[in-house]
Amino acid sequence: MAAGAIGTDTGGSIRIPSALNGLVGFKPTARRVPLDGVLPLSFTLDSAGPIAKTVADCALLDQVLAAEVNGVPAPAQLRGRRFAVPKTVFQNDLSPAVADAFTAALGRLSAAGATIVDLPMAEFAQAAAVNPRGALTSAEAYWWHRQWIKDGADKYDPRVIVRIRPGETITAASYIELIKLREQFIRTINAAAAGYDAMLMPTAPETAPTIAEAGKDDETYTRLNLRMLRNPAIVNLFDGCALSVPCHVPGTAPVGMMIAGTQNTDRKILAIGLAVEKVVWKLRG
């Protein structure tokens, strides 16, 4: 319906819809694209970026959004590239469709000359303690919404306000603790990712649920929502950038492969994505 679109991503809202719909989505480093005029959710984790049909289109939109003076990056050479594939968290409880598509995509990248290194990268297990139940987002969202909630809480979607409300009880000391924990987490992941050109992981652990399943009840909705957010939200937490590129067999439910890097490696990730896409998706069929 469109050549491209602009989205915001605090925990995956560019990459998740891209993965579930067979599209490409790029979440840049948070400060790469100015957020002037954007309604904030979490000013620490928010970023804005493109959704499009191809990595090339996303790279072009990124050039405009970020006022990039160096033009669109050229595709990287895959031969000799080293990709880390973290096992911890990112590959827990994958649906068979996602696991199969991701494994097959890794095989095609290896055949194209890339070095695929499966690693525990247990550092990612810290994410749950760094941002327990989205506390950082809740605190910052409540700060922005506090007056609106005070004067018109009944106007909020119950599934939205229930995730903002916990921020009301977070103390200044607890909030600062979250910020400091995140700073350490960023340093830890930067060190773990050093020596690799990018990290590869499934964007979401399963394919899109049906409307009937997602709307069954609040408990089911919350479970599915948190499950879809699990993988992409960690990238926001370590202040990284990431592409989601389709990697499923055409004609089957869409699956996304996430190509992630540490902060300010956006052009490198886009260049790698241009090459990865041709191997795991564009040449299929």
Side-chain angles (χ1 to χ4, degrees):
M1 294 174 67
I6 300 170
T8 55
D9 189 311
T10 306
S13 294
I14 287 173
R15 290 159 291 158
I16 296 168
S18 298
L20 301 189
N21 288 280
L23 297 170
V24 177
F26 179 55
K27 174 251 178 293
T29 304
R31 54 199 166 276
R32 180 171 173 80
V33 175
L35 295 177
D36 306 79
V38 174
L39 183 71
L41 176 57
S42 165
F43 52 83
T44 296
L45 303 175
D46 291 345
S47 55
I51 298 175
K53 294 179 181 179
T54 66
V55 176
D57 287 345
C58 277
L60 186 60
L61 282 165
D62 172 79
Q63 181 189 6
V64 176
L65 291 168
E68 177 62 64
V69 298
N70 294 316
V72 174
Q77 292 292 324
L78 287 179
R79 186 165 299 280
R81 294 282 176 178
R82 286 171 50 82
F83 295 132
V85 181
K87 295 287 189 180
T88 302
V89 181
F90 292 106
Q91 295 193 50
N92 292 351
D93 303 318
L94 299 179
S95 72
V98 170
D100 291 348
F102 183 66
T103 299
L106 293 177
R108 292 195 291 275
L109 288 173
S110 180
T115 299
I116 306 298
V117 184
D118 289 313
L119 294 168
M121 295 189 84
E123 296 87 350
F124 284 116
Q126 300 172 20
V130 173
N131 191 26
R133 299 190 66 81
L136 188 57
T137 304
S138 295
E140 295 181 351
Y142 181 77
W143 170 80
W144 196 89
H145 286 271
R146 65 193 187 282
Q147 191 61 48
W148 296 101
I149 290 175
K150 178 182 177 182
D151 297 337
D154 60 314
K155 295 182 174 65
Y156 280 76
D157 184 321
R159 290 174 174 172
V160 172
I161 198 170
V162 73
R163 295 167 68 179
I164 298 174
R165 282 277 195 200
E168 184 176 7
T169 60
I170 295 175
T171 66
S174 295
Y175 175 73
I176 292 170
E177 177 69 10
L178 292 171
I179 295 295
K180 294 302 179 181
L181 285 171
R182 181 179 184 246
E183 290 174 355
Q184 180 57 49
F185 185 65
I186 291 169
R187 290 192 291 269
T188 298
I189 299 305
N190 286 352
Y196 299 96
D197 291 291
M199 294 172 281
L200 305 178
M201 57 278 281
T203 306
E206 62 183 75
T207 55
T210 63
I211 292 173
E213 182 183 6
K216 182 179 178 182
D217 51 52
D218 286 348
E219 182 180 352
T220 301
Y221 171 83
T222 300
R223 176 181 61 80
L224 289 171
N225 183 264
L226 293 175
R227 182 160 163 74
M228 290 297 181
L229 284 165
R230 186 193 71 190
N231 288 5
I234 295 176
V235 178
N236 300 69
L237 200 57
F238 69 73
D239 193 29
C241 54
L243 270 167
S244 181
V245 177
C247 67
H248 57 285
V249 175
T252 63
V255 173
M257 168 182 275
M258 191 155 56
I259 308 164
T262 54
Q263 64 269 36
N264 301 318
T265 59
D266 301 74
R267 287 180 59 81
K268 181 178 182 180
I269 293 301
L270 286 167
I272 290 171
L274 287 165
V276 168
E277 177 185 48
K278 292 179 180 179
V279 173
V280 305
W281 175 244
K282 293 304 290 182
L283 297 184
R284 297 306 307 278

